[in-house]
Amino acid sequence: ETGVTQSPTHLIKTRGQQVTLRCSSQSGHNTVSWYQQALGQGPQFIFQYYREEENGRGNFPPRFSGLQFPNYSSELNVNALELDDSALYLCASSLANGRADTQYFGPGTRLTVL
Amino acid sequence: DQQVKQNSPSLSVQEGRISILNCDYTNSMFDYFLWYKKYPAEGPTFLISISSIKDKNEDGRFTVFLNKSAKHLSLHIVPSQPGDSAVYFCAVRPAGGSNYKLTFGKGTLLTVNP
């Protein structure tokens, strides 16, 4: 059984660029959630995907978007990058209607915006 | 406006002693409370949780206490071990909300000294 994996590990972009982060779910999991963890802060919920559709969103602007693929892997896309987007981006996979404590996090992608 | 507050950024204890990590929340509509542990370069991992209908949950060395009237929860680790050194996040879920749309505190860095 493979865990949640994310790529790339680190990424440096400049303001105004676009970025795509990738997440592979734990085997058998069909729901993916994305979180942003800024320095010194706790993770903040961005959105969740289930059955390839967005299924809940936090307080993030539309330039944060996502995709979920038939194999349940997911992408997080951020357009028009801003300096404040610099953060650790975590994805977490789970089963739909599972318990909150059965959500498993990946190691994250560290995004730096210059 | 922070709905979940961990007011101690760091805590240092001696091996074998008790570690007490605290978390306060503002919204009485939260019904499920979780603690996560995070090591550097890894994603958060679930540690222990408690439902709002209980006031205590124990799992080995870890005990979570919930005081609903004070909107306060705490995590007790006894005896503390050097391997417990990590950042600890409390997280909450609103009643009727998605199991995975969690709100996290900023975290407390626990250092257990040998």
Side-chain angles (χ1 to χ4, degrees):
Chain A
E1 182 180 277
T2 56
V4 180
T5 60
Q6 293 186 243
S7 63
T9 307
H10 296 88
L11 199 53
I12 299 175
K13 291 284 188 179
T14 56
R15 197 169 48 180
Q17 284 189 312
Q18 179 265 344
V19 69
T20 297
L21 311 180
R22 295 179 175 82
C23 172
S24 291
S25 304
Q26 179 159 311
S27 177
H29 284 183
N30 56 13
T31 301
V32 175
S33 301
W34 284 91
Y35 288 81
Q36 180 196 66
Q37 186 184 0
L39 195 63
Q41 305 293 318
Q44 264 197 294
F45 178 79
I46 303 175
F47 45 53
Q48 178 186 109
Y49 275 81
Y50 171 62
R51 289 186 175 178
E52 303 177 45
E53 292 191 359
E54 188 178 293
N55 180 34
R57 189 177 184 95
N59 189 25
F60 281 82
R63 60 189 185 84
F64 286 78
S65 63
L67 284 173
Q68 187 182 31
F69 300 99
N71 66 353
Y72 306 129
S73 66
S74 176
E75 287 182 355
L76 165 65
N77 298 290
V78 187
N79 293 321
L81 283 167
E82 301 177 359
L83 297 179
D84 284 349
D85 296 332
S86 294
L88 180 69
Y89 287 86
L90 298 160
C91 80
S93 75
S94 51
L95 283 170
N97 300 320
R99 289 184 355 205
D101 56 7
T102 57
Q103 179 173 223
Y104 295 92
F105 285 84
T109 293
R110 173 73 63 187
L111 172 65
T112 302
V113 182
L114 302 175
Chain B
D1 185 27
Q2 269 190 289
Q3 297 190 71
V4 181
K5 296 181 182 179
Q6 293 178 256
N7 290 321
S8 298
S10 63
L11 175 68
S12 182
V13 300
Q14 283 300 119
E15 180 178 6
R17 306 294 291 269
I18 186 171
S19 297
I20 300 177
L21 297 103
N22 295 302
C23 179
D24 297 297
Y25 59 96
T26 58
N27 190 335
S28 59
M29 295 303 291
F30 295 132
D31 73 342
Y32 198 66
F33 306 85
L34 306 92
W35 284 96
Y36 284 84
K37 178 170 71 173
K38 186 179 186 301
Y39 294 117
E42 294 183 12
T45 55
F46 169 75
L47 191 58
I48 193 169
S49 62
I50 187 167
S51 164
S52 59
I53 62 173
K54 295 185 176 181
D55 54 21
K56 177 183 175 181
N57 188 27
E58 193 171 352
D59 183 3
R61 297 186 296 114
F62 303 92
T63 303
V64 56
F65 295 92
L66 176 63
N67 182 334
K68 289 185 289 293
S69 60
K71 297 190 181 66
H72 177 84
L73 68 156
S74 61
L75 173 67
H76 293 208
I77 307 173
V78 57
S80 301
Q81 299 174 354
D84 296 329
S85 297
V87 177
Y88 288 78
F89 294 99
C90 69
V92 302
R93 184 195 73 184
S98 162
N99 278 336
Y100 311 119
K101 186 179 177 182
L102 303 176
T103 299
F104 286 79
K106 289 186 176 183
T108 296
L109 173 63
L110 172 66
T111 302
V112 180
N113 301 302

